[in-house]
Amino acid sequence: MLRLENITVRFSGLVAVDNLSMIVKDRTIHSLIGPNGAGKTTVFNAISGLVKHDGRIFLDEYELTKLPVHKRVYYGIGRSFQNIIIFKYLTVLQNLMLGIHPHLDYTFFDSVFETSKFSTYERKARLKAIEVADILGIKSILGVYAGTLPYGYQKLIDVGRALMSEPKIILLDEPAAGLTEKESDIFKEKILKIKEAGLTTFLIEHDMRMVFDISDKITVINFGKKIAEGMPNEIVKSPEVISAYLGTEITQP
Ligand SMILES: Nc1ncnc2c1ncn2[C@@H]1O[C@H](COP(=O)(O)OP(=O)(O)OP(=O)(O)O)[C@@H](O)[C@H]1O
Ligand SMILES: [Mg+2]
């Protein structure tokens, strides 16, 4: 369980996240929505340790508040970014294997001389990559160069890399941005598979069809403040949400 307590993030004069408290329960898909500039990505940055914040953050019994980024990954925070970074000239397998670094415990010497420690590490990374590819249904393309794949698959590799660090929770920032409707449907299925695998997903997404279809719970923020929280059928009726989206009706699929 991820718990945020009174999180505030300030950028000089601007309060980007304003005293936000919320809980993301285990093995759920929890979405964070709100208009452009509402502070969603900043919430993720606070959770991953990329921006300074007031308030406290807990993952299960561990307090993450003062920990640096890599320690937070170690305790189970995985994330993908709004702008993906894929190594085009590496295969899908190699791209995935890169994601395992938080558990890296071999030295440069080990890798140059291919000591048994390094080969154990590499074997472990390879096995984990295959396991992740299995969850995401991309085992058949592990040998393909990432740059030759359609955008939808590149996004999946990005998510796969976040899964490589054996997270308890993954933070996905607009995974469906730029995807076609068909790709986005496939993506939706993949997020459900991640849930089936026992993980928790904290999702930022503008594709309301996806959000209302797969979320167990939705938190809505505007100007950094929580304005609504509940199950999809509750959120869809919330007057605060409708007015934050400037009257645009949120239609449930
Ligand atoms: N590093 C930064 N320095 C200064 N201001 C920032 C920084 N990052 C974000 N902001 C500001 O904080 C506010 C919240 O930004 P944020 O990126 O969290 O919004 P968002 O909800 O993710 O928006 P979008 O839906 O467009 O991705 C915005 O006004 C933004 O300009
Ligand atoms: Mg954002």
Side-chain angles (χ1 to χ4, degrees):
M1 179 174 90
L2 174 72
R3 194 164 90 239
L4 309 185
E5 282 183 9
N6 309 102
I7 300 302
T8 296
V9 179
R10 293 184 188 86
F11 296 116
S12 45
L14 176 89
V15 182
V17 180
D18 196 352
N19 200 28
L20 178 71
S21 297
M22 63 180 289
I23 283 173
V24 178
K25 287 195 180 146
D26 278 350
R27 293 168 181 246
T28 59
I29 298 171
H30 192 129
S31 293
L32 181 63
I33 65 171
N36 289 114
K40 304 179 296 294
T41 297
T42 307
V43 171
F44 276 17
N45 286 341
I47 296 167
S48 0
L50 293 169
V51 292
K52 279 216 170 90
H53 59 81
D54 292 343
R56 301 170 76 183
I57 300 174
F58 297 85
L59 186 62
D60 297 333
E61 67 272 37
Y62 305 106
E63 175 155 18
L64 305 182
T65 311
K66 297 221 159 62
L67 298 181
V69 178
H70 69 277
K71 282 269 173 60
R72 295 183 192 214
V73 175
Y74 181 81
Y75 282 111
I77 302 281
R79 100 171 263 184
S80 78
F81 287 86
Q82 200 164 350
N83 303 305
I84 54 167
I85 309 157
I86 288 294
F87 297 96
K88 292 187 173 161
Y89 300 106
L90 295 182
T91 63
V92 172
L93 177 69
Q94 289 166 329
N95 266 284
L96 288 178
M97 284 171 72
L98 283 174
I100 206 161
H101 68 88
H103 301 282
L104 184 111
D105 60 354
Y106 70 87
T107 62
F108 179 67
F109 176 87
D110 292 326
S111 70
V112 169
F113 293 99
E114 300 203 19
T115 64
S116 63
K117 200 170 174 190
F118 177 71
S119 44
T120 308
Y121 163 79
E122 209 192 345
R123 203 163 44 237
K124 196 178 144 203
R126 193 177 292 268
L127 285 175
K128 185 72 202 171
I130 292 167
E131 189 188 318
V132 164
D134 202 22
I135 295 173
L136 297 177
I138 53 171
K139 260 168 99 174
S140 62
I141 55 161
L142 278 171
V144 176
Y145 285 104
T148 65
L149 291 167
Y151 188 63
Y153 278 99
Q154 300 196 9
K155 285 266 197 176
L156 267 187
I157 297 168
D158 197 39
V159 173
R161 237 177 4 213
L163 290 175
M164 286 293 291
S165 62
E166 302 187 349
K168 291 178 186 155
I169 179 168
I170 52 166
L171 315 179
L172 301 182
D173 196 346
E174 297 194 33
L179 299 188
T180 63
E181 198 167 308
K182 192 163 161 243
E183 284 175 327
S184 142
D185 280 341
I186 294 171
F187 218 96
K188 210 165 65 180
E189 296 306 318
K190 306 295 183 190
I191 296 176
L192 290 168
K193 285 270 184 284
I194 292 172
K195 181 179 166 181
E196 274 172 34
L199 298 174
T200 307
T201 300
F202 196 8
L203 174 72
I204 295 176
E205 187 47 67
H206 282 294
D207 178 346
M208 288 304 136
R209 217 168 50 98
M210 180 186 279
V211 166
F212 282 89
D213 218 14
I214 65 173
S215 302
D216 296 296
K217 203 165 183 188
I218 300 173
T219 299
V220 192
I221 61 172
N222 197 15
F223 299 111
K225 277 194 171 75
K226 193 199 293 190
I227 58 167
E229 191 168 63
M231 296 191 320
N233 59 347
E234 295 164 337
I235 293 300
V236 86
K237 288 181 254 162
S238 154
E240 291 87 352
V241 176
I242 293 163
S243 84
Y245 280 93
L246 298 168
T248 47
E249 213 169 301
I250 302 170
T251 46
Q252 226 175 337

